[in-house]
Amino acid sequence: MTQPSNPPMDAEDANAHRPPTVLQVLPALETGGVEQGTVDVAVATAQAGWRALVASAGGLKTYAIERGGGRHIALPLDTKNPLKILRNAARLEEVIRREQVDIVHARSRAPAWSAYIAAKRTGVRFLTTFHGTYNFKGWLKRRYNAVMAKGERVIAISHFIAEHVKRHYAVPDSRIRVVPRGIDLRHFAAEGVAAERMIRLAHDWQLPDGVPVVMLPGRLTRWKGQLVLIDALARITDRDFICLLVGSDQGRTGYRDALTQRVRERGLESRVFIRDDCTDMPACYMLADVVVSASTDPEAFGRIAAEAQAMGRPLVASAHGGVPEQVIDGETAFLVPPGDDAALAEGVARALALDAEQRAAMAAAAREQAQQFSKTRMCADTLAVYEELLGWRDAPLTPEDSLHTAG
């Protein structure tokens, strides 16, 4: 039997019944925290039954968008040329109208300018995520950065960044929402790392059996503090250890050479080794007896802290930026003054001296603490901001409240 057809809906009815459409914009989709956060939120948006679009110049993570139910739109957004930024604004305007976009979410400065212009022209909701402090020396650079403060809502990835946004860009509390970055707790879980993975990695890196491993994960760049750690380790003369600096130099061969020279100067050639990027970071963390985050400049969030805690590894970290928000000093980590090699040496020695019972207690506390910084929570909090913009929920009262918009 032929089913009766539904009466046709007019355009207004159709719009009222269609799912919301969110367009995220960023330069490209290669590796990095901004890129992974974009993918995570796009997938969560699609899983919520909304339409998830991402515009960028493309890259390795494009497939993850499509596989997760979103759609990638290739645009040359990886440019800082003012004329091309204006041209990209026109392209985004066309996308917004064609795809009936409801919310534009900008995650980086140059494409944010294009997105801001396009959103103003089309009247759609516009928000930004402030992923870092950015260099703001000089009026022109501050003006360039200021687009990230133009969102109807400005997502800050830590309370440290929220305070920066308020202080330097005069954004009121009413527009700021703190949504910490999140990690995949199923991926960063000690029980999920098979012994074979650790054995393979230890073999590849030629690690001696029974020697404690101190590890600093992070790209080889001066502000990550590898030089400070080398100086700190030279102070520890009463303990055996191996130190691994795990990260790519990304073409910074001069800094890599400086690290090698400092290792020689400190007489640590048999103890400190540089290892390039690791494709199995959970296994990498499990090889570490102590994880170090020695950044001399404040981290906007500092995902190493969240990852190390999730893996139950003792952490020694610089006490600035977004890291202190993630840890409980003395219970899940040891915080030290940034750039102070003597204090860092004391912190590493303290972590190395933990007995089995103390390590187990710290690991349990750290794993519990890491639950606050899950990918699931980050995505739920971000979708809550989207719903707020659409008028589906009341606004949180303060940036502090926004951390608790989702369980």
Side-chain angles (χ1 to χ4, degrees), residues 158-161 293 295 297-306 309 315-330 332-338 369 372-373:
S158 64
H159 292 285
F160 164 71
I161 290 296
S293 175
S295 299
D297 291 349
E299 299 266 9
F301 175 72
R303 64 180 173 81
I304 289 172
Q309 288 183 114
L315 172 71
V316 182
S318 298
H320 61 170
V323 172
E325 301 171 25
Q326 300 178 56
V327 307
I328 303 172
D329 189 19
T332 70
F334 301 116
L335 295 178
V336 299
Q369 179 72 2
Q372 299 181 55
F373 304 99

Side-chain angles (χ1 to χ4, degrees), residues 188-222:
F188 290 102
E191 61 273 16
V193 181
E196 292 79 6
R197 289 163 59 185
M198 298 169 58
I199 293 169
R200 185 184 311 118
L201 193 56
H203 178 268
D204 291 346
W205 286 350
Q206 300 179 342
L207 298 181
D209 291 337
V211 179
V213 175
V214 177
M215 181 181 297
L216 192 160
R219 64 186 183 277
L220 301 187
T221 187
R222 191 171 297 271

Side-chain angles (χ1 to χ4, degrees), residues 136-144:
F136 57 92
K137 294 180 180 178
W139 175 87
L140 187 60
K141 196 61 177 283
R142 186 185 293 269
R143 172 66 176 157
Y144 175 63

Side-chain angles (χ1 to χ4, degrees), residues 105 149 152 294 343:
H105 183 176
E152 295 174 65

